[in-house]
Each structure stands twice: as C-alpha cells, then as structure tokens.
Amino acid sequence: MLSARRTSSSPAQACAPAHGARRLRRCLGGLGLLAWMLAAMPAPAWASEADVRAAQLVQRMPPEALHQLVQSYAMMGLKRQPPGSVGAAGYVSAQPAYGIPALQENDAGVGVNNYPIDVDARGWPIGVRGAAGAATPLPSPLGMAASWNPRLAYAGGAMIAGEARAQGINLLLAGGVNLAREPRNGRNFEYFGEDPLLAGSMAGAEVRGIQSQHVISTVKHFLLNAQETDRLALSADLGERAMRESDLFAFELAIEQGHPGAVMCGYNKVNGIYDCSNAHLLNDVLKRDWKYPGWVMTDWGADHGVSDALAGVDQVSGEDYADGAQGDGSFGAPLMRAIASHALPYARLQDMAQRVLRSMIANGLLDAAPAPKPLDALADAQVAQNVAAQTLVLLKNASGQLPLEAGVRHIALIGGHADVGVLSGGGSAQVWPIGGAAIKPEHPDLHDSASPWVVYDPSSPLQALRQRLPQTRIDYDDGRRPARAAALAKSADVAIVFATQWAAEGIDLPDLGLPEHQDALIEAVAAANPHTVVVLETGGAVRMPWLGKVAAVLEAWYPGARGGEAIADALSGAADPAGRLPTSFPQDESQLPRPRIGADDAVDYDIEGVAVGYKWFDRQRSTPLFAFGYGLSYTHFGYAHLQLAKQDGRVTARFEVSNDGDRAGVDTPQLYVDMPPESGEAPRRLAGFGKIALRPGERRTLSLSIDPRLFAVFDAATDRWRIGAGRYTVELGHSSRELVLHDDIALSAASLAP
Ligand code: GLC
C-alpha cells in the first residue's frame, strides 16, 4: 500500500482528476505547471528547452494521456504485432493528438536484438522483423572496454542505433554499466569491466553514440545487479561510501558523459530494498543529488506495486499488451486509483510523464520520425571490425611467437568452431547476425540453457587467416578428439587452439574454468607442439592451468560481426593487439572475495566494499594471473617526463609516450592515484587513461585531466565528496601493476557536491 503522507493539498492535488476533468484543466491551465515542477525539483544544470517543451505539453494532456506514458508492453516474440508496434521489448503506443510517437524500446548494447519468434526449416531463428531484423553485432561491451577507447564505443553506439532507427526502433536498452564485482557473473560480457572510471567513460560514450542517431539510450541495471543467481530476490548489501565510490560512481560518470534518456532499475534488492522500490537510490541519489531529469524505467517485471511511483519509478516495463492501460499491473488501474484517492499526488503522475517526454524531446523523437531503410551491412560490419581490432588483448607472447611469420609453412588451427564463426553472448543482449548464426541450433555441441541457442557470428578465423597467409597450409580440426588434434599439431609448425566460454543472462558461470575439457585439449596440443597459441573467446576472466606450456595467448572476448578478421589481423601482424584488460584475471577462485557465487538471499559486498577487482588484489597484496590494464603489443612503449600541474581547478598530468620498437603500435598509458593509507581506501585507483598510435621511433606528449573525485572519499554523513589536504602521488604505467613513473602534488582540503 502506498505510504505517502497525507499532505495539505498542493495546487496540483487540488487539480486532481477526482474533481472532474473540466476543473482539472481549469486548474492546470492557471497553475503554471512548469513553475510547480521546477519549484518542486530545482532545475538541473542541464535543464533545457526540452524540459520546458515537455512541461508545456504535460500541461495540455489529460490524466489518461499522461497515464499512457508510464507503462510499456512486452511485444517481443509476438507473431502478430498491433498496428504501430515493431515488436520491440517495450512498446508505448503513440498519441498523435499530442504529437507523441510510439516508444519502441529494444535491446541492447551489442546491437539490435530482433527476438526470434520462430525458426525456419533449417532450424534457424526468424526474427520478429523477419530478414530485415537481422543486425550487426558489435564486440561485447567488455571487449569494447578492453579498447579503452571511448571514441570506438561512440562509433559502435552510433552504428547500432542507425540499425535500430532503420527498423523503427527509437530506444535502445543499452548502457549496461554494472561493475564486474563478481567475475563469474553471466552478464559481465554486457558490461564495461571492474573500474568505475573506465566503465563509466565507455558506457557514457556508447550512450552518446546511440543518442547521436535520435535513438534514446539507457543505463542499466541501477543498481548492484552483480550476478544472475537469484537476481529477482537477492539483496546486494553494500555500505553507502563504498557504493558511491564504486558502482554508483560508474553510473554517475556514464550519466554525466552520456546524458542517457532513461535509467533502468534492476531486479535485485540493495540493502534489503528492491532497486525499483528504493527511494534512496532513485529519489535521493539519482534525482536529487545527481539532478537526473530523465525517466526511470523498471526492468521487465521488476516492479513491486504502485508505491514504486513514490520511490522514483516513472515507467513500469514489460506489461502484457492484452491487458491494456487499465490492466492490474502496478502502474495500470492501481495507479489511477491511487491518484483518485490522493495516495499518489497527481503532480507525481505529471512529473513521470514529464520525464519521459523531456527525454523523447531532447533526443529528437518528436521531431525526427524513424526512417525505415535497408541496413548498410558492409559499412556496419566495418565499424564492428574497427572496434574489434582494438579489443584484442595479447596476454602472452613468449619468444615473439606472434605475429605469425609470413613464411610459416603449416598451421594447425583447432577448436572453437573457428572454421565457421566466433562466439557471442546470450540473453537479451543477443544479436541475430546478418547472414544467420554460423552453426545450426541442433548442432551436437550446442546445449540448451537460458537462451535457446548459442550463437556463433558468421565470421571465420580460419577463412580470414587463409586469406592473410595464402602461402601457408592451414588445416582445421574441430578439437573434439584431443589425440587427433594433437597429432595434427605435431605435424605443423604452429598450432592455434581456439577456446570458448559461453555466458548469458539468467545464468552465472559455475567457475572460472574453460568448459567442456578444453583445458585438456590445450594441454594435449601444447604437449605435441611447443609453438602453441591459444585464442580465447570468453565472457570474462578464465583460469589458465596450461599457461606455462603455451607460447602465446590472445583474449578476443566475443568479437562481433567481423571477429574472425580482427583475430586474423592480430595473429598475422596486420594489426597490433591494442587491447588492455578491463577486468583482472585471477589465478583462481581462491583469490576472490567469495569462494563461490552466493545463492543465498543476500550477498555481503562489504567484504570487498569499494575494492572491486584490482583494488581487491592491491588491498590483499595478492598477485592476479593478469592485472587490470595489462596487455602486450608487438612493439614496446616508453614513458618519460611525467609532470603534474594544476589547471582550471583540476590536476593535469603531462607525459611523453615513445614507441621504442620497430613496429607501429597502439598504447594505453594509464594514470593511478595513490590514496593515503589513513583514507581507508584501496591503495590506488585509476584516474585517467589515453589511447595513442605511434610509428616506430615516434614520441608524443599527452596531457590528461584528472576528475577531482579521484582524489576524494565519499563522506556519507554529509553527502559530499571530501579531498583531504596533503600530498598525493600519481603514478603512470602500462597496467595497475606495472607503474613506471610517478610525481606528486599538494592538494588543499576540498568538499564537492555529490
Ligand atoms: C531483461 C534484462 C534487461 C533487458 C530487458 C528487456 O530481463 O535484465 O537487461 O533490457 O529484460 O529485454
């Protein structure tokens, strides 16, 4: 039941529908709704013409029109769509009388998921939008994060939004920015890693790219949806200071940098209160402290009653279209009853509608109707390949095993379905690729799980490598029989084993091991050929018990529509592996804050608190298998002349990067702030990063500005960021564990708004 206090009727309440529509219009007309709205909510710094237009529009709309905006209907998978619906995950019908188009809310961050509604005679999915529904998958967001290049995230976002818009979709449920707090989380591939600065910057850039195409983007899942096990009921327990400095900070940066039209609250609880009923997170943090002007939508079915409207939810997602607006869902008839009984102020319904409309207006949805047009598959695939090229992380390269020499005569290429495709992640982020999945669903290797199919994108590393090494004999073995694979490897100059780990929404990984005896396959091949290269297509960190026995390891994540080509370019040396780890790779699960994923009703994230990922390893003084920020290049880079200075109230770091090798390469210099031991913080935190391509012998100076919050701790007692007076050391390095230069600077005490 609603817990709203009975307040003396505010002007808006005096105009509530209970007093009849005529009086309502009269009241509102004289009320100056906009003044009320802005008085009730201090105009955010980014209050724009969209907010004014939305407030004026709301003023003209009767209650039932406002009500129509606060629920979306799940239309994916329906074979017959009502007029106006394109079959998206969420649909809000149009209101032509007010110039408001339908909202077509579709998944997601990898590309347009066109939800299979049937399979054809070959067993292949037919998308909800038929052949036109096939789309171009980007590399996974975790892979994008490995590029440490926001410009690529922007370009990728713009591409998938162009494909969305071409299919009549005007909102992408992208922008997943939950921190990889739990390395076994089945959805880590959908997010941007373990550090708030990197994740927030990459997510914000993808959101900006999406919205550049007049498609609204979201950020999700607010907050602390760090695992899939028990996600509908689990309480993620974490203290306020740790939350503000980690998971909340990632969202804060993504929202500041991307201005997403919407935020999606998640399924789980935080400190015992459901995300979508959590007034502290939604009203206090998101809307009051951060002055967020857009709207909060629930995850699909994540609402818990009409009182969520008082907690800060503006739109309930995933209702049943057949029920219509007056269905008994949280924001259906119950909401209008709550308005009529004053349990829910009418002005709150106006505010809910205002938030939806201002984001639609801000992103041009009321001014630029979607223009359905055929996809430019080649151009879009090239964008995906450009992104993939910078996501690949070279983890080991003993004796310069890679790049493959042009003269190599014979290569054994083994496993991972590398003859036909590259792996992608499952669940709502799944993209059904143009050209169809590379392997039919009934293939014996494909096992049913949360998602009906394990989809391989039709981009063959084998074919791509043959094109790049036309003089080289390359034999493929599917790897199902290690002895046979080993025999082939023995006969070749080099053996390349592709190992895959499928991850998906709805299920977590049982452990960090490679599934289905792939470790044994790698061991057998490495025993047969010392020049063994392992290419990993995984959803995140994995254990590598065979690491000492192989010559090279390349992490390719889920590399998207042209993943095979990108991998072949890296293996053949046509491109320098430019990726750096966005998430630490533990030696094994014993190094983690929790030996196994909690299947209980609560997970105590205060064990690590703010020390997520590398911060945990630093605090525990333990050594991961591979550190956050780590990655090799075919050349090597030097750093010199690090100098800190104060400029416009910020600390800037200037330094020189040089390519000291004989090949062109791409480097990712990283800055870390060392926190004073007495601060109670983890030893260091990422404070800045660059991306620079250099020719052999070239050197260039970079200047990076450091957000002051990276020197601060969050003081929950006063709701402020606080910088303690003192000298701070900033380190420059190739990873969180390879820091080569440092400088320090004196800062005076400061307090910053949240
Ligand atoms: C979900 C997912 C969310 C997705 C939504 C719509 O259950 O958690 O990420 O956007 O459904 O498909």
Side-chain angles (χ1 to χ4, degrees):
M1 191 45 201
L2 284 163
S3 56
R5 280 175 290 101
R6 262 195 186 288
T7 54
S8 59
S9 69
S10 72
Q13 281 175 326
C15 297
H19 301 290
R22 183 185 303 277
R23 175 173 170 190
L24 173 64
R25 287 197 185 89
R26 216 177 28 251
C27 290
L28 288 184
L31 182 66
L33 170 69
L34 176 63
W36 188 94
M37 308 289 280
L38 293 181
M41 176 196 82
W46 56 32
S48 65
E49 171 254 340
D51 299 286
V52 175
R53 262 182 76 187
Q56 290 164 345
L57 187 50
V58 164
Q59 197 172 337
R60 289 173 40 220
M61 295 169 71
E64 62 278 6
L66 302 176
H67 184 218
Q68 200 171 316
L69 292 169
V70 300
Q71 296 183 99
S72 76
Y73 301 100
M75 309 304 278
M76 66 273 217
L78 298 183
K79 288 188 181 176
R80 261 175 300 286
Q81 296 292 328
S85 164
V86 299
Y91 171 63
V92 178
S93 49
Q95 300 196 55
Y98 302 100
I100 302 169
L103 262 180
Q104 317 274 3
E105 306 173 344
N106 207 82
D107 288 297
V110 176
V112 178
N113 176 347
N114 52 53
Y115 288 105
I117 52 173
D118 206 341
V119 291
D120 64 17
R122 298 169 302 167
W124 287 19
I126 299 174
V128 64
R129 286 174 288 282
T136 303
L138 283 170
S140 64
L142 188 62
M144 264 199 268
S147 76
W148 291 59
N149 190 342
R151 280 197 301 278
L152 288 180
Y154 180 97
M159 184 274 279
I160 62 175
E163 295 203 343
R165 196 151 180 269
Q167 298 174 44
I169 293 158
N170 54 15
L171 185 148
L172 278 178
L173 302 158
V177 68
N178 297 97
L179 292 186
R181 193 175 269 277
E182 168 49 70
R184 294 156 291 205
N185 176 7
R187 295 188 83 172
N188 278 339
F189 77 92
E190 284 189 64
Y191 308 145
F192 293 93
E194 68 191 29
D195 178 82
L197 178 67
L198 178 63
S201 306
M202 296 302 290
E206 183 179 38
V207 166
R208 260 200 329 276
I210 288 168
Q211 299 195 152
S212 71
Q213 302 302 308
H214 300 308
V215 173
I216 292 174
S217 190
T218 50
V219 285
K220 68 183 186 180
H221 305 84
F222 195 73
L223 186 76
L224 275 167
N225 182 180
Q227 67 179 54
E228 290 301 281
T229 307
D230 272 349
R231 69 172 176 170
L232 301 180
L234 175 98
S235 179
D237 296 344
L238 182 63
E240 181 75 12
R241 168 174 163 177
M243 218 187 299
R244 292 272 189 157
E245 295 178 11
S246 56
D247 294 77
L248 279 173
F249 194 32
F251 276 89
E252 187 172 16
L253 291 168
I255 290 169
E256 283 174 0
Q257 297 179 25
H259 296 310
V263 173
M264 183 193 294
C265 51
Y267 287 118
N268 57 283
K269 297 171 189 166
V270 169
N271 299 326
I273 301 173
Y274 281 109
D275 275 349
C276 299
S277 308
N278 202 309
H280 172 61
L281 291 177
L282 302 179
N283 285 338
D284 299 346
V285 179
L286 180 66
K287 295 183 177 179
R288 183 198 65 198
D289 289 355
W290 297 353
K291 300 181 178 51
Y292 180 66
W295 87 91
V296 174
M297 65 167 78
T298 67
D299 202 338
W300 270 235
D303 53 294
H304 295 275
V306 66
S307 55
D308 290 351
L310 287 173
V313 170
D314 303 298
Q315 186 184 72
V316 163
S317 309
E319 295 294 52
D320 184 340
Y321 182 74
D323 293 346
Q326 294 310 324
D328 59 6
S330 301
F331 284 12
L335 183 131
M336 294 313 272
R337 285 198 296 273
I339 294 277
S341 68
H342 299 304
L344 182 67
Y346 184 66
R348 177 65 187 111
L349 174 61
Q350 291 174 311
D351 177 46
M352 293 154 76
Q354 147 90 16
R355 287 172 174 275
V356 174
L357 290 172
R358 60 83 48 202
S359 287
M360 292 179 76
I361 292 166
N363 287 288
L365 271 64
L366 271 64
D367 304 315
K373 65 181 176 38
L375 306 183
D376 185 342
L378 282 181
D380 292 351
Q382 188 56 56
V383 172
Q385 185 171 345
N386 296 344
V387 176
Q390 292 203 22
T391 65
L392 308 177
V393 185
L394 184 59
L395 294 172
K396 180 177 181 181
N397 192 21
S399 330
Q401 177 62 59
L402 293 175
L404 299 168
E405 293 312 329
V408 61
R409 285 178 308 105
H410 182 199
I411 293 174
L413 196 144
I414 297 160
H417 298 292
D419 55 333
V420 293
V422 288
L423 186 57
S424 68
S428 57
Q430 184 72 65
V431 173
W432 301 88
I434 291 170
I439 302 175
K440 290 183 189 173
E442 69 275 11
H443 191 287
D445 282 9
L446 297 186
H447 47 83
D448 193 300
S449 59
S451 160
W453 293 294
V454 175
V455 173
Y456 280 75
D457 293 323
S459 168
S460 161
L462 172 64
Q463 302 310 331
L465 203 54
R466 281 178 171 158
Q467 284 164 8
R468 283 153 184 78
L469 301 173
Q471 309 307 320
T472 302
R473 175 184 159 192
I474 306 178
D475 293 326
Y476 175 73
D477 179 290
D478 66 14
R480 276 196 275 184
R481 291 165 48 196
R484 187 184 64 197
L488 176 63
K490 193 173 178 65
S491 70
D493 300 317
V494 178
I496 304 174
V497 186
F498 281 73
T500 60
Q501 172 210 53
W502 186 70
E505 174 181 347
I507 49 175
D508 291 319
L509 298 162
D511 52 43
L512 297 179
L514 286 172
E516 291 154 14
H517 319 302
Q518 294 179 95
D519 286 336
L521 171 64
I522 294 168
E523 300 262 3
V525 170
N529 189 325
H531 302 289
T532 291
V533 175
V534 176
V535 178
L536 297 170
E537 295 173 10
T538 65
V542 289
R543 285 197 308 264
M544 302 181 203
W546 33 261
L547 183 61
K549 300 169 187 159
V550 302
V553 181
L554 183 73
E555 172 61 69
W557 319 103
Y558 299 146
R562 286 273 183 78
E565 288 80 356
I567 290 168
D569 279 344
L571 292 175
S572 64
D576 184 47
R580 301 292 183 268
L581 290 181
T583 187
S584 309
F585 276 45
Q587 305 262 6
D588 57 43
E589 294 81 351
S590 69
Q591 290 189 312
L592 300 179
R594 280 161 291 280
R596 59 172 185 76
I597 275 206
D600 320 308
D601 56 9
V603 178
D604 178 7
Y605 289 128
D606 276 317
I607 293 172
E608 71 275 22
V610 69
V612 178
Y614 68 94
K615 295 170 184 169
W616 171 256
F617 288 101
D618 289 345
R619 177 185 280 174
Q620 300 296 102
R621 300 181 193 285
S622 56
T623 304
L625 186 63
F626 293 108
F628 173 78
Y630 176 83
L632 300 172
S633 162
Y634 290 146
T635 182
H636 52 272
F637 298 94
Y639 302 143
H641 316 310
L642 171 64
Q643 259 197 323
L644 301 178
K646 286 179 193 158
Q647 195 176 339
D648 307 328
R650 283 197 163 199
V651 174
T652 57
R654 278 173 62 85
F655 54 92
E656 184 184 81
V657 184
S658 59
N659 179 343
D660 303 336
D662 56 8
R663 300 173 67 101
V666 183
D667 191 34
T668 308
Q670 300 154 42
L671 291 172
Y672 292 83
V673 165
D674 291 356
M675 290 305 287
E678 65 275 12
S679 68
E681 292 292 316
R684 67 182 60 82
R685 50 184 48 175
L686 180 70
F689 55 91
K691 198 80 188 178
I692 184 166
L694 294 173
R695 292 184 302 280
E698 189 180 5
R699 58 189 61 238
R700 242 184 293 151
T701 297
L702 281 184
S703 179
L704 299 179
S705 163
I706 298 176
D707 185 312
R709 289 169 290 188
L710 273 309
F711 292 99
V713 300
F714 190 82
D715 177 5
T718 59
D719 214 22
R720 307 273 301 176
W721 293 95
R722 293 200 180 287
I723 298 174
R727 294 199 69 81
Y728 289 80
T729 298
V730 176
E731 301 189 87
L732 170 65
H734 301 279
S735 78
S736 64
R737 284 297 173 94
E738 199 184 342
L739 301 166
V740 294
L741 296 178
H742 68 266
D743 191 6
D744 59 28
I745 191 162
L747 295 182
S748 43
S751 151
L752 308 166

